[in-house]
Every structure is written in structure tokens, then in C-alpha cells.
């Protein structure tokens, strides 16, 4: 557990306790559905009898556009939001990026139950002692000092800014977007100063400079990046980040909670959600780890009846008792000699039951060609061997171009 005394604004003597999670990636895919359901059950059990004030979901509720039927991601989210809403005072949800949370898909969750607040545009929600909620960005003023303020900032898009700020246009650059967002954070900080004794939590879905992707998480397009200093303009006690699946702390009290389950192959880290308490101006947070299995991909082959892997030894160790996808490239002669059922039993003994085995049989002629390329002692020999393998004729002109490229590389 980490405890930090440095808080921008004194949170007063009010104590609040909440859960920060993000990147739920609900989907109807049976495997994803099963894993997410397991994590949500664990969260539900944790919340019981713990006097949690609210749950904060920092974007990417959906994995992709969902249909409302049978075992879709929609039915699963509605089921667990409903159950969780009965155990906490409020649930706050902010929209993730368009690749996952389609336009309109988050606002549909707004007021699913009276205490569920889901926003696709910036909102600064002040909650009073009667659990009434006021949006300070819309000029609503609570009749008394709020118990806490929760600010929701969705994934910034140029289109979203054009909609919010009509004076902007489609030619707005990434630098312009960053400046506009900075002004928004500054405005939030100005409002926050009027409630200096109220704990302030800011939820933001986006990429912060210095953050690291999970090993298996793909980057999406040209990411807009923001600095921790820009977010600090909002003067919050805690910054609840979403968008990156790997749990990490950027600066004290500015944290990615990570995803609720291992969404992509290569996400080998342990998954969790964050339990946060703010009391007497001190913010305390700690991860609550889940039983979600890591997803590990191993590549290898078989030689003389023995299985070998090209992965690092540490990756092979991580695969034990994880969800494992094993890709084996096997020569034609080796393939004839092995029993697939026995091979899988050997792998299950090594890694556990949850494995998927893919066997790629390499034709004998391709094996020979591959060996010629691998055994080449110079770039010229390698190029000639590759050309031979695909039936391409190498001329003197091709070789001259190759030598010119090699010289250019040497002189760099």
C-alpha cells in the first residue's frame, strides 16, 4: 500500500472510499464474456459490506459495437451495473475512444438506474450529502458544500471539440487539441478552487506522456498525448486514468487501473482494480488483484522429437497455468512421426489445461529453402537464396543496387 501526503488542495476532513476501474471491453465473444464475467463477479463480492461510496469507470466499457441479444456484452454490463448500483451510492462512467465506445453507446447507460451517471462529454459532478448530483460545468450549484466532486473527461477527439467549441474547425491540429484540453483543465481547476475543502477526483480516458502499453496491447492510430502537468491544472486529489491496460502510476495519485481481464495475447500482467480512500487530505490507493489468467503466446517447433520454444525463458515460465496459445512449426518428416494427442498431453502437463495448439507443417522443399537462406554467409548469398526459393532471377543490376544499399548503411 502506498500513502502520499502531497495533495494540491486540502481534502478537508471528509472521508470517501471508491473503486477506480477502466477498460472493461465487454463483448459477446464467448471467451471474453466468460473472463469478464468472472472479474465482475469478484468485484461484486469485494464491494459487499465495504461501504464503497462510488465506482468510477474510466472508459472503454465496450470492446466494439455490440448487439442487444442473448449473451452479448450489453446484457452482461447491464446485469452487473444493476447489481453494483444496489451496493454503492453512485456509479460514474466516462466514454472511451471511438474504436471501442461508439458514439451514443455510453450515454445509453446514463440513468439506467437512478444512481448511474454516464457521460460522453466533459462533466464536473458535485455530490451533496443527500446524494443529489449537480454539473458544475453547466452552471448548476449545489445548495451546500459537496461531499465530493467527480470530473469526467472522455477521450479527446477533434470532432468532439468541434461539436463543443463551434469556433474550431476540422483543420485543428494535435497541438491545438492539446491547448484546448489544457484550457478545459484550467477552467476545471478554477471551479475546484471554490470548493477547496471538497475531495476532487478526475477521470480521464487518454494517453499520458511517459505511460507504457501492456505487452499485448496494440496502439490505436495517431495517439493524442497529454502531460501529467496538463491534468494537474484541474487540481484533483486523485486522477483516475483509462485507456492503457497495464496498471501503472504516472505520478503520485495519477494512475491507470489497467483492464479487468487479459484482453490480448501478450498481456501477462496480473489484473486488478484500484481501491481509493481520501481522508484528512491524504489519498491512499492500492490494487485489488483478480484471478484473471494471463494470455501468453509461445512459438517454437519440434526437432528430433523434442519440443523447443523461441521465447525467452521468463515468458515460458509465465505461461505455466496461464491461458496459452502455442504455435509449433514442424517439418514434414517430424509431423509424420508425432502423435498430436500425445503432444498435447505433454504440453498440458507442462502448462496446464488452458492451452490452444496450432501446428504448422512445413513442406520438405520449403525446409530446404529456408536452410539455404539461414546458412547464407553474406547478404548477397542470402538474397540469391531467397530469389531461388521464389523462382526469381537475380541480375547484375539487382546486385549493384544491393551493394549500393549496403554501402549507404555502412556510412550512416
Amino acid at each position: 500500500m502506498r500513502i502520499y501526503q502531497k495533495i494540491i488542495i486540502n481534502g478537508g476532513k471528509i472521508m470517501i472510499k471508491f473503486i477506480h476501474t477502466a477498460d472493461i471491453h465487454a463483448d459477446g465473444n464467448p471467451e471474453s464474456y466468460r473472463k469478464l464475467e468472472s472479474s465482475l463477479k469478484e468485484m461484486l463480492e469485494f464491494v459487499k459490506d465495504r461501504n464503497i461510496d462510488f465506482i468510477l469507470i474510466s472508459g472503454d466499457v465496450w470492446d466494439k459495437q455490440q448487439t442487444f441479444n442473448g449473451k452479448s456484452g450489453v446484457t452482461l454490463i447491464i446485469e452487473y451495473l444493476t447489481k453494483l448500483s444496489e451496493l454503492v451510492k453512485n456509479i460514474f462512467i466516462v466514454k472511451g475512444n471511438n474504436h471501442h465506445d461508439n458514439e451514443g453507446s455510453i450515454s445509453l447507460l446514463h440513468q439506467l438506474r437512478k444512481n448511474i451517471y454516464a457521460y460522453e462529454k466533459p462533466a464536473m459532478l458535485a455530490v451533496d450529502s443527500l446524494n443529489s448530483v449537480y454539473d458544475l460545468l453547466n452552471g448548476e450549484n449545489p445548495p451546500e458544500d459537496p461531499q465530493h466532486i467527480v470530473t469526467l473527461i472522455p477521450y479527446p477527439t477533434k470532432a468532439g471539440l468541434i461539436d463543443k467549441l463551434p469556433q474550431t474547425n476540422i483543420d485543428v491540429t494535435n497541438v491545438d487539441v492539446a491547448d484546448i484540453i489544457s484550457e478545459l483543465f484550467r477552467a476545471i481547476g478554477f471551479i475546484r478552487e471554490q470548493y477547496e475543502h471538497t475531495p476532487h477526483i478526475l477521470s480521464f480516458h487518454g494517453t499520458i506522456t511517459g505511460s507504457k502499453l501492456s505487452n499485448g496491447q496494440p496502439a490505436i492510430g495517431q495517439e493524442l498525448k497529454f502531460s501529467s502537468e496538463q491534468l494537474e491544472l484541474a487540481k484533483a486529489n486523485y486522477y483516475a486514468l483509462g485507456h492503457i491496460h497495464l496498471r501503472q502510476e504516472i505520478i503520485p495519485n495519477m494512475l491507470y487501473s489497467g483492464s479487468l481481464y487479459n484482453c490480448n495475447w501478450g498481456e501477462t500482467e496480473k489484473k486488478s482494480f484500484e481501491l481509493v480512500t481520501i481522508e484528512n487530505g491524504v489519498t491512499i490507493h492500492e490494487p485489488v488483484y483478480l484471478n484473471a489468467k494471463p494470455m501468453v503466446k509461445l512459438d517454437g517447433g519440434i526437432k528430433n522429437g523434442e519440443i523447443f520454444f523461441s521465447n525467452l525463458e521468463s515468458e515460458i515460465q509465465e505461461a505455466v497455468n496461464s491461458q496459452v496459445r502455442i504455435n509449433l512449426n514442424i517439418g514434414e518428416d517430424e509431423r509424420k512421426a508425432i502423435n498430436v494427442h500425445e503432444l498435447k498431453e505433454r504440453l498440458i502437463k507442462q502448462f496446464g489445461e488452458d492451452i490452444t495448439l496450432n501446428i504448422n507443417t512445413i513442406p520438405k522443399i520449403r525446409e530446404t529453402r529456408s536452410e539455404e537462406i539461414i546458412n547464407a554467409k553474406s547478404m548477397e548469398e542470402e538474397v540469391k537464396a531467397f530469389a531461388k526459393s521464389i523462382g526469381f532471377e537475380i541480375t547484375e543490376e539487382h546486385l549493384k543496387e544491393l551493394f549500393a544499399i549496403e554501402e549507404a548503411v555502412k556510412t550512416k
Side-chain angles (χ1 to χ4, degrees), residues 113-355:
R113 290 293 181 271
K114 189 178 179 181
N115 61 341
I116 296 176
Y117 299 88
Y119 285 80
E120 299 194 3
K121 293 183 179 180
M124 190 173 184
L125 307 178
V127 183
D128 69 12
S129 58
L130 299 175
N131 207 39
S132 298
V133 176
Y134 303 83
D135 188 353
L136 302 178
L137 287 184
N138 277 342
E140 299 175 2
N141 295 310
E144 59 180 61
D145 278 348
Q147 296 291 299
H148 52 269
I149 297 170
V150 178
T151 298
L152 305 174
I153 308 294
Y155 185 84
T157 62
K158 294 177 185 180
L161 289 171
I162 292 167
D163 177 59
K164 188 161 186 64
L165 303 172
Q167 69 271 25
T168 61
N169 59 64
I170 197 66
D171 296 320
V172 66
T173 66
N174 284 357
V175 174
D176 295 327
V177 171
D179 288 343
I180 293 167
I181 291 294
S182 290
E183 287 307 308
L184 176 60
F185 287 138
R186 190 173 281 109
I188 290 167
F190 177 76
I191 297 172
R192 191 266 186 274
E193 286 178 342
Q194 301 171 48
Y195 302 93
E196 61 178 347
H197 297 300
T198 302
H200 178 211
I201 300 92
L202 183 138
S203 176
F204 176 67
H205 191 94
T207 303
I208 306 302
T209 304
S211 56
K212 297 177 182 178
L213 288 174
S214 175
N215 287 337
Q217 184 182 0
I220 301 172
Q222 284 189 320
E223 294 277 26
L224 291 167
K225 292 187 178 180
F226 302 88
S227 68
S228 57
E229 289 80 9
Q230 284 174 289
L231 269 69
E232 286 184 297
L233 293 171
K235 300 180 179 178
N237 297 80
Y238 181 82
Y239 299 85
L241 305 177
H243 184 51
I244 293 181
H245 296 182
L246 178 65
R247 181 191 180 273
Q248 58 196 288
E249 193 168 31
I250 305 302
I251 60 172
N253 301 327
M254 186 178 291
L255 184 90
Y256 285 100
S257 63
S259 52
L260 273 183
Y261 69 95
N262 305 75
C263 305
N264 303 298
W265 293 104
E267 289 189 25
T268 58
E269 68 273 5
K270 208 161 174 55
K271 296 301 182 179
S272 61
F273 55 85
E274 208 73 11
L275 176 64
V276 186
T277 305
I278 302 176
E279 184 177 17
N280 297 327
V282 177
T283 300
I284 303 171
H285 64 83
E286 58 182 325
V288 178
Y289 287 106
L290 299 161
N291 290 318
K293 285 186 177 182
M295 297 176 72
V296 183
K297 183 173 71 172
L298 299 178
D299 297 299
I302 293 182
K303 196 162 188 178
N304 300 323
E306 294 299 319
I307 303 169
F308 66 88
F309 295 105
S310 56
N311 302 71
L312 297 172
E313 185 59 36
S314 59
E315 293 174 319
I316 297 170
Q317 291 302 316
E318 284 172 350
V320 177
N321 294 322
S322 299
Q323 185 181 355
V324 193
R325 183 167 69 192
I326 300 172
N327 300 315
L328 296 181
N329 293 317
I330 304 176
E332 199 172 340
D333 288 342
E334 289 276 8
R335 178 67 181 83
K336 291 174 182 176
I338 65 168
N339 180 303
V340 176
H341 178 74
E342 289 178 0
L343 176 63
K344 192 164 184 178
E345 286 299 314
R346 284 163 61 186
L347 292 168
I348 287 172
K349 282 182 181 178
Q350 184 174 358
F351 298 109
E353 292 283 344
D354 202 354
I355 70 165

Side-chain angles (χ1 to χ4, degrees), residues 65-161:
Q65 187 171 352
Q66 299 294 305
T67 57
F68 189 83
N69 60 19
K71 276 200 166 186
S72 80
V74 177
T75 56
L76 185 62
I77 289 299
I78 288 176
E79 177 187 353
Y80 277 89
L81 283 181
T82 301
K83 289 177 178 177
L84 288 165
S85 70
E86 294 170 356
L87 300 174
V88 298
K89 293 177 183 176
N90 294 305
I91 296 175
F92 300 103
I93 307 168
V94 68
K95 182 181 179 297
N97 64 76
N98 289 334
H99 186 77
H100 299 294
D101 293 344
N102 296 85
E103 189 174 344
S105 67
I106 297 302
S107 58
L108 285 172
L109 299 173
H110 185 64
Q111 303 286 271
L112 175 68
R113 290 293 181 271
K114 189 178 179 181
N115 61 341
I116 296 176
Y117 299 88
Y119 285 80
E120 299 194 3
K121 293 183 179 180
M124 190 173 184
L125 307 178
V127 183
D128 69 12
S129 58
L130 299 175
N131 207 39
S132 298
V133 176
Y134 303 83
D135 188 353
L136 302 178
L137 287 184
N138 277 342
E140 299 175 2
N141 295 310
E144 59 180 61
D145 278 348
Q147 296 291 299
H148 52 269
I149 297 170
V150 178
T151 298
L152 305 174
I153 308 294
Y155 185 84
T157 62
K158 294 177 185 180
L161 289 171

